[in-house]
């Protein structure tokens, strides 16, 4: 008999992160529709006679009929593709799927799916359950989502922050999560609890994420127009940037010959001062900290060493970092999802 498989998805505009059991991985949140699928390739599958390749490998596709991404199509439409792609990226879950009673070659998967997203939960569930099967490498896989749960983005981070809060001599009633992802900078207030934290409405600052940092970085470095291959190289340069022993920002990426490390701090200063969503987000953070609140930071923006250094060394934040009222959560790029698994 098929066993129920737990799948947790954090499908962001830039990357889709997933955990199946103890296995964790991620892939780029983009896809291509092609005329014919290669065999034995992760992220390659068919639905309703349409052949998809999901993830980084679409850069190798020369004959795509159509392309899409979460950023362009939205999470509701993209969620079934992200779920199936996650199953194909797992090393052995499809191999071990039991046969159905109807046909020995067919396989069946019973899924318990948990999704972290700002999108409407009912719409996500309806979209997910609209897909009953997919095909990969000549095998038909039936899907039955027997349980679906919708969590706010960053809920795993909130679980970890709640644990920290409960260890304080006088735990506050509320705390706040600052999530800087690829496209947004989101603030969520949680009610602290000895069991599970309860989320308030999220306040997403669209256009306040890492993608907007890169726009300012491109401008300050005077390289490229924020698109295409140059944009990807700038992203890698920012993600790999470090703070040296003299407190200077530098990068060892392939564009280091342009000495663009010196452009990182001016770019972040411009991002903080002139990006509307960022201005609103950090004004809110200032207010929460001034009122004695606790703010915990997570997601991809805080996985970048220079970004974390820049934010925590802002003069208005230094006292709160010292007092513990402003903290970067451990493993910030994955804690939003894996904090939920570890609970």
């Amino acid at each position: 008999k098929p066993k129920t498989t737990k799948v947790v998805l954090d499908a962001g505009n830039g990357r889709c992160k997933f955990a199946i059991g103890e296995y964790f991985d991620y892939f780029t949140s983009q896809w291509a529709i092609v005329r014919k699928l290669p065999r034995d390739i992760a992220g390659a599958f068919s639905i309703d006679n349409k052949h998809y390749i999901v993830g980084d490998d679409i850069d190798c596709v020369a004959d795509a009929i159509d392309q899409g991404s979460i950023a362009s199509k939205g999470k509701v439409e993209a969620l079934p593709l992200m779920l199936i792609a996650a199953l194909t990226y797992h090393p052995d879950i499809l191999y071990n799927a039991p046969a159905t009673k109807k046909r020995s070659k067919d396989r069946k998967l019973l899924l318990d799916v948990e999704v972290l997203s700002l999108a409407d939960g009912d719409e996500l569930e309806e979209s997910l359950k609209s897909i009953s099967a997919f095909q990969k490498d000549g095998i038909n896989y039936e899907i039955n989502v027997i349980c679906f749960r919708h969590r706010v983005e960053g809920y795993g981070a909130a679980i970890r922050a709640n644990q920290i809060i409960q260890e304080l001599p006088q735990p506050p009633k509320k705390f706040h999560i600052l999530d800087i992802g690829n496209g947004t900078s989101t603030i969520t207030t949680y009610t602290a609890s000895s069991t599970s934290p309860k989320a308030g409405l999220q306040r997403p600052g669209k256009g306040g994420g890492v993608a907007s940092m890169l726009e300012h970085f491109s401008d300050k470095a005077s390289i490229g127009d924020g698109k295409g291959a140059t944009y990807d190289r700038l992203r890698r340069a920012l993600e790999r940037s470090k703070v040296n022993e003299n407190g200077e920002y530098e990068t060892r990426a392939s564009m280091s010959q342009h000495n663009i490390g010196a452009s990182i701090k001016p770019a972040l200063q411009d991002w903080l001062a002139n990006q509307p969503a960022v201005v609103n987000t950090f004004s809110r953070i200032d207010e929460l900290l001034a009122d004695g609140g606790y703010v915990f930071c997570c997601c991809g923006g805080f996985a970048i060493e220079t970004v974390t250094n820049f934010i925590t060394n802002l003069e208005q934040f230094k006292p709160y970092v010292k007092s513990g009222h402003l903290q970067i959560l451990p493993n910030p790029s994955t804690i939003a999802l894996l904090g939920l698994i570890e609970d």
Side-chain angles (χ1 to χ4, degrees), residues 207-226:
V210 175
S212 62
M213 293 180 193
L214 287 165
E215 293 175 4
H216 293 277
F217 188 24
S218 175
D219 179 60
K220 293 297 181 183
S222 300
I223 297 176
D225 57 1

Side-chain angles (χ1 to χ4, degrees), residues 89-110:
Y89 275 96
H90 193 281
D92 54 25
I93 190 172
L94 297 184
Y95 179 80
N96 292 327
T100 65
K101 293 181 179 180
K102 298 177 182 178
R103 295 178 58 188
S104 60
K105 195 174 183 180
D106 289 355
R107 301 286 185 264
K108 186 171 185 177
L109 293 163
L110 301 182

